[in-house]
Amino acid sequence: MKTIHKNSIILIVVALLIFSCKEESKKTIATQSIDFTHEGDLSVFLNSTDTVKTKFNIEFAETDYETQTGLMYRKGMDNNQGMLFIFPDERMHSFYMKNTEFPLDIIYIKEDLKIASFQENAQPLNESGLSSLVPIKYVLEVNGGLSQELGLSIGDSISFSRK
């Protein structure tokens, strides 16, 4: 009788531990919201002219951490804001939307500061690779749909400055 009683207690303890672990794994880890930091200004010019199509307040992504994190863990940004990624050299790049909670237009820009290709309306949280299709040195991320709304096109050029 004592053996059955001890086994029952052991089974109950194991069941409680398993239940406790399952409940603990259901908890979500809260991430701190990241606010936009206006670090510079960027203008987009009509193909081979000095006519300004639009301007953005930008945040720079240059370090490994900044380029790997990008706009992750943010709720969104204003339509006049963007993030400019600057890479050390011109080559093929691929982006994804892991932990990015709002749609983006990803604008791939060559070393000569001309727009080379687009990935419009990249879907939130999608981890599929989104290739630049050609070697590029810069990437501008803006709210999804803005590229079309503003009439941006391949061959338009950019200039940027730091604050």
Side-chain angles (χ1 to χ4, degrees):
M1 195 74 171
K2 288 182 180 181
T3 306
I4 292 173
H5 182 67
K6 284 182 182 176
N7 288 342
S8 296
I9 291 173
I10 290 171
L11 286 173
I12 290 170
V13 169
V14 169
L16 287 172
L17 285 172
I18 290 171
F19 177 77
S20 174
C21 289
K22 284 185 179 178
E23 286 303 305
E24 190 66 31
S25 70
K26 289 181 184 177
K27 293 179 183 177
T28 57
I29 298 170
T31 56
Q32 186 174 2
S33 179
I34 302 169
D35 294 325
F36 180 82
T37 303
H38 184 184
E39 297 175 326
D41 300 298
L42 182 141
S43 296
V44 180
F45 299 92
L46 181 64
N47 190 351
S48 301
T49 70
D50 291 334
T51 304
V52 175
K53 279 189 170 182
T54 191
K55 294 183 177 190
F56 293 100
N57 297 331
I58 55 170
E59 199 171 319
F60 291 98
E62 297 176 273
T63 67
D64 285 343
Y65 175 77
E66 291 167 339
T67 58
Q68 290 169 13
T69 307
L71 293 169
M72 291 180 180
Y73 313 111
R74 300 182 191 215
K75 298 297 179 201
M77 56 183 177
D78 296 339
N79 280 343
N80 70 333
Q81 297 174 332
M83 179 170 276
L84 183 66
F85 294 76
I86 302 174
F87 297 102
D89 55 0
E90 188 173 61
R91 63 182 174 87
M92 297 289 288
H93 287 278
S94 186
F95 277 60
Y96 60 86
M97 297 290 288
K98 180 179 180 179
N99 299 318
T100 306
E101 300 178 29
F102 57 102
L104 294 174
D105 284 355
I106 303 171
I107 304 167
Y108 300 102
I109 303 164
K110 295 184 74 56
E111 191 167 17
D112 65 3
L113 301 176
K114 292 185 188 264
I115 295 175
S117 63
F118 293 89
Q119 178 63 53
E120 296 181 81
N121 285 303
Q123 292 306 298
L125 309 175
N126 186 334
E127 295 187 33
S128 300
L130 306 169
S131 173
S132 60
L133 304 176
V134 296
I136 51 99
K137 181 170 173 119
Y138 306 95
V139 170
L140 176 62
E141 290 184 339
V142 297
N143 283 329
L146 269 182
S147 295
Q148 186 173 14
E149 183 181 316
L150 297 170
L152 304 184
S153 57
I154 292 173
D156 287 347
S157 61
I158 68 158
S159 71
F160 62 90
S161 60
R162 297 175 192 275
K163 283 188 81 161

